[in-house]
């Protein structure tokens, strides 16, 4: 019978022969099966292709070593006495409207700018007026492109009137460069910049460290421009960079330091804690200062992904896709996410830690620092800086930042 399955069952002798008709799948069932199969294929494609795509994005943003360059995303539209007015497309540079002090890079020179004295949205542009001072070059004219620089200082410790020596120290990848700023204390500070940053990122904090009387090494790390590469060819978020911190600590001790304070900016804090967990030289550490510490990289990636949208359809990236992308990236870049939550081992720390974190940080979530504090409230002091972006607590209030660091370092020395 068409559309039927026939089951012919043998029965006891003497009984009648019975044929049982069993109906096949209904049309609705077949449609549902096809729909389920199609949905399954689409789901596999979504997570497979999407996971690979976003793992590639993660690779280029986080792992692959590349050099950054200045992007002049602002335009000067007016100069009036000691005030400069700048504009950019709405939302393209949130720092323009932020209450903070910045350096201002120009093609022909450099300025510093203060808090906005006026800000507004005008015909599709964010516009802000700030007081300025010339650091280098002529007074710019309207139409000149510009770029805000949160690192504020441009070159080296001479920018803040500090004498220094350019030295080299040894790590497992070879010789690395550092600035040495002398002072009287037998406790030295080791300043470790963040991933993709430069030594000059640490000049803002160096002012306070020097005021407290600490000799300081402002170090480079593997993968920095002009420095040896990590054997993997990738940024490792502390898994290998801790050896660079160890080399700097051993240089300090060999040069007369009794002990050290580790100063980690963003991912520099991960390098510092990884050193503490893995090096015998950790006994020399008597304190640490962290600014926007990127010490749970998996959480940082989740946070960044939560701010992104899927291409074309414009909906938020689901956490499940981020999880798949992280798994794929762990295979592609040989990266163990579980080993990069440095808060998990914070019970091994026995020295005080001062932490700054801005409430407007869109790179490393504030909850990382809150968790660090909550795990060790006996050792960690957390200063939440209202309105500050990533590693911009100094920019939001330089005087308060400096005073807190000096007080902390005075309590150790």
């Amino acid at each position: 019978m068409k559309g039927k399955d026939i089951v012919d069952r043998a029965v006891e002798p003497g009984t009648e022969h019975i044929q049982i008709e069993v109906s096949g799948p209904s049309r609705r069932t077949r449609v549902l099966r096809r729909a389920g199969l199609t949905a399954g294929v689409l789901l596999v494609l979504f997570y497979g292709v999407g996971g690979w795509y976003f793992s590639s994005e993660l690779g280029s943003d986080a792992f692959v070593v590349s050099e950054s360059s200045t992007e002049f995303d602002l335009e000067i539209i007016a100069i009036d006495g000691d005030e400069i007015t700048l504009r950019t497309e709405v939302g393209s540079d949130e720092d323009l409207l932020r209450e903070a002090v910045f350096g201002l890079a120009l093609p022909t020179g450099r300025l510093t700018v203060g808090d906005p004295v006026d800000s507004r949205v005008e015909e599709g542009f964010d516009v802000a007026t700030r007081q300025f001072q010339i650091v280098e070059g002529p007074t710019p004219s309207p139409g000149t492109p510009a770029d805000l620089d949160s690192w504020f200082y441009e070159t080296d410790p001479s920018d803040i009137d500090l004498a220094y020596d350019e030295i080299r120290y040894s790590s497992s990848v070879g010789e690395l460069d550092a600035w040495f700023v002398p002072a009287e204390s037998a406790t030295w500070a080791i300043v470790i910049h963040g991933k993709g940053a430069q030594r000059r990122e640490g000049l803002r904090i160096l002012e306070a460290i020097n005021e407290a009387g600490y000799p300081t090494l402002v170090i480079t790390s593997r993968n920095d421009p002009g420095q040896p590469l990590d054997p993997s060819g990738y940024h490792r978020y502390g898994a290998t960079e801790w050896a660079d911190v160890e080399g700097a600590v051993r240089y300090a001790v060999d040069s007369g330091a009794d002990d050290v304070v580790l100063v980690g900016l963003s991912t520099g804090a991960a390098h510092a804690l990884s050193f503490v967990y893995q090096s015998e030289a950790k006994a020399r550490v008597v304190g640490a200062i962290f600014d926007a510490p990127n010490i749970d990289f998996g959480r940082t990636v989740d946070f960044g992904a939560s701010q992104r949208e899927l291409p074309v359809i414009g909906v938020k990236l689901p956490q499940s896709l981020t999880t798949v992308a992280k798994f794929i990236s762990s295979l592609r870049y040989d990266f163990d996410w579980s080993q990069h939550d440095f808060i998990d081992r914070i019970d091994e720390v026995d020295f005080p830690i001062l932490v700054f974190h801005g409430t407007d940080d869109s790179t490393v979530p504030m909850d990382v620092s809150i968790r660090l504090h909550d795990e060790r409230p006996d050792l960690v002091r957390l200063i939440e800086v209202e309105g500050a972006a990533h590693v911009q607590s100094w920019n939001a209030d330089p005087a308060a930042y400096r005073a807190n660091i000096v007080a902390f370092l005075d309590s150790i020395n």
Side-chain angles (χ1 to χ4, degrees):
M1 297 176 63
K2 188 174 181 181
K4 304 284 187 180
D5 292 330
I6 306 300
V7 179
D8 192 358
R9 294 185 179 174
V11 296
E12 294 284 334
T15 63
E16 69 177 302
H17 190 76
I18 303 174
Q19 283 190 331
I20 301 175
E21 295 184 356
V22 181
S23 298
S26 68
R27 176 181 176 81
R28 182 181 178 212
T29 300
R30 293 196 300 271
V31 169
L32 289 175
R33 284 179 180 175
R34 283 197 296 269
L37 180 61
T38 301
V41 170
L42 291 175
L43 206 60
V44 169
L45 286 173
F46 176 76
Y47 283 105
V49 175
W52 184 270
Y53 172 80
F54 283 108
S55 75
S56 297
E57 293 278 293
L58 183 56
S60 61
D61 290 345
F63 295 115
V64 174
V65 177
S66 60
E67 292 190 28
S68 59
S69 58
T70 301
E71 296 183 7
F72 296 106
D73 60 344
L74 306 176
E75 179 189 8
I76 298 172
I77 59 173
I79 298 282
D80 184 9
D82 64 351
E83 293 185 349
I84 187 169
T85 301
L86 303 128
R87 73 175 183 180
T88 189
E89 292 183 7
V90 169
S92 64
D93 189 342
E94 294 180 354
D95 285 343
L96 179 60
L97 307 181
R98 196 179 302 280
E99 294 285 332
V101 298
F102 295 102
L104 189 70
L106 308 169
T108 58
R110 187 175 183 85
L111 313 177
T112 59
V113 294
D115 292 337
V117 296
D118 177 63
S119 61
R120 60 191 183 276
V121 176
E122 186 177 89
E123 297 179 351
F125 290 95
D126 289 329
V127 180
T129 299
R130 299 171 179 260
Q131 290 188 323
F132 76 94
Q133 291 184 331
I134 295 175
V135 176
E136 180 184 4
T139 301
S141 57
T144 302
D147 182 62
L148 289 171
D149 179 8
S150 65
W151 300 346
F152 197 80
Y153 299 110
E154 184 180 17
T155 52
D156 56 48
S158 66
D159 288 354
I160 49 178
D161 299 321
L162 293 177
Y164 73 100
D165 293 317
E166 186 82 52
I167 65 98
R168 292 177 70 78
Y169 69 97
S170 298
S171 178
S172 58
V173 291
E175 296 290 306
L176 296 164
D177 294 328
W179 294 321
F180 170 62
V181 179
E184 296 301 320
S185 175
T187 301
W188 288 31
I190 312 292
V191 179
I192 313 154
H193 68 68
K195 174 256 172 186
Q198 302 170 20
R199 278 182 292 179
R200 70 181 182 90
E201 182 187 34
L203 293 176
R204 294 165 297 173
I205 203 167
L206 179 59
E207 290 182 292
I209 296 170
N210 187 259
E211 182 179 328
Y214 283 57
T216 306
L217 288 174
V218 184
I219 68 172
T220 58
S221 298
R222 64 190 65 199
N223 296 329
D224 284 357
Q227 309 302 309
L229 290 174
D230 187 87
S232 69
Y234 299 124
H235 294 290
R236 308 309 294 171
Y237 293 86
T240 57
E241 294 92 345
W242 70 268
D244 304 340
V245 180
E246 181 182 60
V249 171
R250 295 196 184 281
Y251 179 95
V253 170
D254 291 344
S255 301
D258 290 340
D259 38 47
V260 300
V261 171
L262 302 176
V263 181
L265 311 176
S266 190
T267 302
H271 299 182
L273 283 180
S274 186
F275 158 78
V276 169
Y277 299 149
Q278 300 188 68
S279 174
E280 293 181 359
K282 67 182 180 183
R284 297 285 185 169
V285 181
V286 295
I289 301 170
F290 296 155
D291 193 329
N294 185 19
I295 52 178
D296 181 355
F297 187 44
R299 171 66 187 124
T300 296
V301 169
D302 291 344
F303 181 62
S306 72
Q307 302 170 59
R308 299 191 58 174
E309 295 182 343
L310 289 169
V312 183
I313 59 178
V315 299
K316 290 290 185 181
L317 201 69
Q319 176 60 47
S320 56
L321 182 57
T322 303
T323 300
V324 171
K326 288 165 66 176
F327 171 73
I328 294 173
S329 67
S330 71
L331 302 177
R332 295 179 66 182
Y333 306 108
D334 188 25
F335 192 80
D336 186 344
W337 293 93
S338 66
Q339 297 300 312
H340 288 78
D341 180 354
F342 294 107
I343 307 175
D344 273 350
R345 295 174 61 183
I346 201 65
D347 60 324
E348 299 176 30
V349 168
D350 61 358
F351 49 79
I353 304 175
L354 176 64
V355 180
F356 295 92
H357 210 131
T359 60
D360 280 4
D361 194 330
S362 60
T363 302
V364 176
M366 169 70 78
D367 59 60
V368 170
S369 289
I370 292 173
R371 180 179 159 220
L372 175 66
H373 170 267
D374 290 349
E375 290 288 333
R376 292 303 302 270
D378 56 322
L379 293 178
V380 177
R381 180 189 175 204
L382 172 59
I383 299 176
E384 300 183 20
V385 181
E386 188 66 32
H390 187 56
V391 200
Q392 290 187 17
S393 292
W394 179 92
N395 304 77
D397 193 338
Y401 190 87
R402 184 171 183 154
N404 277 296
I405 289 174
V406 172
F408 176 76
L409 293 175
D410 284 349
S411 72
I412 294 173
N413 210 357

